């Protein structure tokens, strides 16, 4: 947990602009951290932004507190906690893992990105919408979100975690290419019901020219043509050709 | 993990922004990573990667290169940035020749990266397309700020910090180059493009 040592704090306000979520403010000449917003990303601590060394870490002793911190701080190592990183390697190693094969679509919904943060309540809304549209979510061995689920097949998160705020968390899964339009329709509906944003990634196998029929589906759905992406250039070995 | 996927900005500005990755998969091709990583770093440096790093240690804008290299282990993740398509093409040509067997990923404008692949003689295998931002977009900072903050995909860079630094540049307290470098130190992975950021900050200082 990130706290301000009230004795050391001079109220200078230097720390305020550094917090990505705007969780720090100066009240009655002392800095305070809104604990309902701060997910312990440790940007303020790691970068030593306080000239008086008044920002301190306190031990996090709950599972959900540790989860919230690990998912929000990319520097944190995850080995001791059992939280398996922050998500799958999606396209990055697909040339050797073959996680998403020809005819399939991998969906990566980066909840809270860019830089807004999100409550798990909104994550659940989106996860439930896409699972009922036919997306099969990744399990506990590949993605941390699954650890919070009461029912991963339905995208239902345990009630006690729903108010937790995180800097971002990824809903990941895959479906057959034919199901893609249903997923997009579900996202178009649920995006109006959440109090945050998400960034959407759609991952597919491509031919030697970098083409996939998913581009036609996107056009038919009225989605803007994607112009930016992450290309795995097929140099991993042994290469999966499926 | 899609922290390099959703970088925003104008097409012209994104033409100067590419992210490279070396990735190993557990139990498949995760041996001798230190040697392979050093080959990647050598290739990236040869073509002029302005920033790179290993999230386990940090980026070259914050730590000496030798220190980062010494700390590379089998779980390291190497990544960095290029500022031109030409660098991407040259890098891919070298890495193809080295035949190291780890996965290689380039994040950037699709037209540019796909033509770099063609020129370098490598075959795209998988693409993760960015379909942009959805939901309550009124919560977002403006596009100019997002073009800078999204270069740290883990969002370690606060929009308010960018605004403050732009004000400091306007007042002559800091140069755009130093402001961009400062922002780069907040991105632990080494994928923040301080060269592009400097240009963006310079443009922003002239806006009202
Ligand atoms: S920078 Fe330090 S001293 Fe100044 S307001 Fe923040 S916590 Fe207090
Ligand atoms: S830990 Fe992160 S969210 Fe919390 S106060 Fe510090 S910078 Fe802000």
């Amino acid at each position: 947990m990130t706290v301000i040592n009230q004795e050391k704090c001079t109220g200078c306000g230097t720390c305020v602009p550094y917090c990505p979520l705007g969780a720090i403010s100066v009240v009655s000449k002392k800095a305070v951290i809104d604990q309902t917003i701060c997910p312990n990303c440790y940007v303020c601590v790691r970068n030593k932004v306080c000239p008086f060394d008044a920002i301190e870490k306190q031990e996090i002793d709950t599972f959900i507190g540790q989860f919230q911190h690990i998912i929000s701080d990319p520097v944190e190592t995850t080995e001791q906690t059992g939280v398996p990183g922050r998500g799958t390697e999606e396209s990055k190693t697909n040339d050797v893992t073959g996680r998403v094969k020809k005819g399939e679509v991998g969906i990566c919904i980066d909840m809270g990105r860019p830089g807004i943060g999100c409550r798990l309540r909104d994550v659940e809304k989106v996860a439930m919408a896409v699972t009922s549209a036919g997306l099969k979510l990744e399990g506990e061995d590949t993605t941390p979100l699954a650890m919070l689920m009461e029912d991963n097949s339905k995208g239902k998160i345990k009630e006690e975690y729903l108010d937790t705020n995180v800097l971002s968390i990824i809903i990941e899964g895959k479906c057959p290419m034919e199901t893609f339009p249903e997923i997009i329709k579900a996202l178009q509906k649920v995006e109006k019901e959440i109090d945050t944003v998400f960034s959407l990634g759609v991952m597919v196998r491509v031919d030697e020219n970098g083409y996939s029929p998913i581009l036609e589906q996107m056009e038919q759905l009225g989605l803007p043509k994607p112009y930016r992406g992450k290309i795995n250039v097929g140099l991993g070995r042994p290469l999966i050709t499926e | 993990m899609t922290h390099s996927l959703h970088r925003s900005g104008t097409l012209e500005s994104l033409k100067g922004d590419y992210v490279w990755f070396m990735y190993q998969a557990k139990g498949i091709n995760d041996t001798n990573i230190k040697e392979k990583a050093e080959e990647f770093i050598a290739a990236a440096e040869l073509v002029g990667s302005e920033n790179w790093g290993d999230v386990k240690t940090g980026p070259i804008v914050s730590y000496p290169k030798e220190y980062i290299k010494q700390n590379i282990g089998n779980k390291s993740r190497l990544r960095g940035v290029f500022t031109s398509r030409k660098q991407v093409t040259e890098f891919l040509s070298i890495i193809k020749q080295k035949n190291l067997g780890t996965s290689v990923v380039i994040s950037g404008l699709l037209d540019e990266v796909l033509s770099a692949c063609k020129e370098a003689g490598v075959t795209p295998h998988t693409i993760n397309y960015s379909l942009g931002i959805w939901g309550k977009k009124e919560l977002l900072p403006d596009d100019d700020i997002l073009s800078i903050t999204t270069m740290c995909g883990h969002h370690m860079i606060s929009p308010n910090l960018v605004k403050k630094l732009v004000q400091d540049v306007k007042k002559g307290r800091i140069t755009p180059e130093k402001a961009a470098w400062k922002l780069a130190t907040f991105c632990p992975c080494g994928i923040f493009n301080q060269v592009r950021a400097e240009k963006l900050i310079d443009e922003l200082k002239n806006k009202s």
Side-chain angles (χ1 to χ4, degrees), chain A residues 17 89-90 95 110 195 198, chain B residues 1-2 77 103 134 136 158:
Chain A
E89 286 161 356
E90 32 87 33
D95 54 345
D110 274 56
D195 198 22
F198 59 84
Chain B
M1 287 280 285
T2 50
R77 300 287 198 214
S103 296
W134 298 51
K136 211 171 179 179
S158 153

Side-chain angles (χ1 to χ4, degrees), chain A residues 1-4 15-16 18-24 32-35 37-46 49 55 69 72 165 167, chain B residues 156 158:
Chain A
M1 195 166 123
T2 319
V3 292
I4 307 286
C15 54
V16 173
Y18 288 89
C19 174
L21 292 179
I24 314 178
V32 284
I33 295 176
D34 185 337
Q35 299 295 344
I37 297 174
C38 170
N40 295 301
C41 70
Y42 290 171
V43 163
C44 55
V45 186
R46 190 168 52 251
V49 302
I55 308 181
H69 161 52
S72 303
N165 199 38
L167 189 49
Chain B
M156 302 284 101
S158 153

Side-chain angles (χ1 to χ4, degrees), chain A residues 17-18 88-90 92 95 110 191 195-196 198 200 202 204-205 227-233 237 240, chain B residues 1-2 5-6 23 77 101 103-104 106 108 110 123 125-132 134-136 158 182:
Chain A
Y18 288 89
T88 71
E89 286 161 356
E90 32 87 33
K92 295 193 198 88
D95 54 345
D110 274 56
E191 71 163 335
D195 198 22
T196 185
F198 59 84
L200 179 63
V202 171
V204 285
R205 287 278 282 109
Y227 58 89
R228 213 188 166 286
K230 205 154 71 173
I231 303 182
N232 178 319
V233 302
R237 296 291 178 269
I240 303 268
Chain B
M1 287 280 285
T2 50
L5 182 58
H6 305 291
Y23 257 80
R77 300 287 198 214
S103 296
V104 182
I106 305 286
L110 293 164
T123 311
H125 181 278
T126 303
I127 298 184
N128 197 348
Y129 295 103
S130 171
L131 262 64
W134 298 51
K136 211 171 179 179
S158 153
K182 177 164 182 164

Side-chain angles (χ1 to χ4, degrees), chain B:
Chain B
M1 287 280 285
T2 50
H3 68 312
S4 76
L5 182 58
H6 305 291
R7 289 157 96 96
S8 64
T10 62
L11 283 181
E12 209 40 51
S13 171
L14 288 169
K15 277 186 184 167
D17 192 27
Y18 305 88
V19 184
W20 62 267
F21 295 84
M22 173 192 118
Y23 257 80
Q24 65 275 28
K26 201 172 163 198
I28 301 176
N29 54 4
D30 57 348
T31 53
N32 301 329
I33 290 308
K34 195 175 171 97
E35 285 161 38
K36 290 174 188 170
E38 281 173 0
E39 298 265 19
F40 266 82
I41 293 167
E45 295 246 283
L46 186 71
V47 304
S49 183
E50 298 277 354
N51 190 9
W52 57 265
D54 175 356
V55 70
K56 297 252 174 237
T57 313
I60 59 168
V61 290
S62 303
Y63 297 93
K65 291 173 185 174
E66 280 315 309
Y67 174 71
I68 303 171
K69 285 185 202 169
Q70 274 163 20
N71 282 307
I72 294 171
N74 279 349
K75 288 188 177 158
S76 288
R77 300 287 198 214
L78 271 292
R79 61 287 292 268
V81 287
F82 292 126
T83 49
S84 72
R85 186 180 88 185
K86 187 167 168 279
Q87 288 176 321
V88 176
T89 308
E90 287 170 7
F91 176 74
L92 288 177
S93 306
I94 299 170
I95 293 296
K96 186 190 175 200
Q97 262 178 8
K98 288 183 192 258
N99 193 20
L100 299 167
T102 50
S103 296
V104 182
V105 175
I106 305 286
S107 180
L109 288 175
L110 293 164
D111 287 349
E112 302 291 318
V113 181
L114 287 172
S115 49
C117 287
K118 204 164 236 168
E119 286 159 28
V122 300
T123 311
H125 181 278
T126 303
I127 298 184
N128 197 348
Y129 295 103
S130 171
L131 262 64
I133 306 169
W134 298 51
K136 211 171 179 179
K137 287 193 255 187
E138 56 270 33
L139 296 173
L140 294 168
D142 65 40
D143 290 346
D144 291 330
I145 302 290
L146 271 182
S147 303
I148 296 174
T149 57
T150 53
M151 287 196 282
C152 169
H154 288 117
H155 299 290
M156 302 284 101
I157 295 175
S158 153
N160 288 332
L161 178 59
V162 177
K163 286 179 201 161
K164 181 191 177 301
L165 286 169
V166 170
Q167 286 308 316
D168 287 350
V169 168
K170 272 188 187 170
K171 289 177 186 154
R173 289 185 187 151
I174 189 170
T175 62
E177 184 187 11
K178 287 213 168 104
W181 192 277
K182 177 164 182 164
L183 290 172
T185 64
F186 280 76
C187 165
C189 302
I191 66 165
F192 187 86
N193 182 337
Q194 73 273 22
V195 178
R196 177 176 172 229
E198 182 185 336
K199 283 188 201 143
L200 292 169
I201 291 170
D202 205 37
E203 285 164 23
L204 268 177
K205 84 166 192 255
N206 299 321
K207 287 196 179 174
S208 61

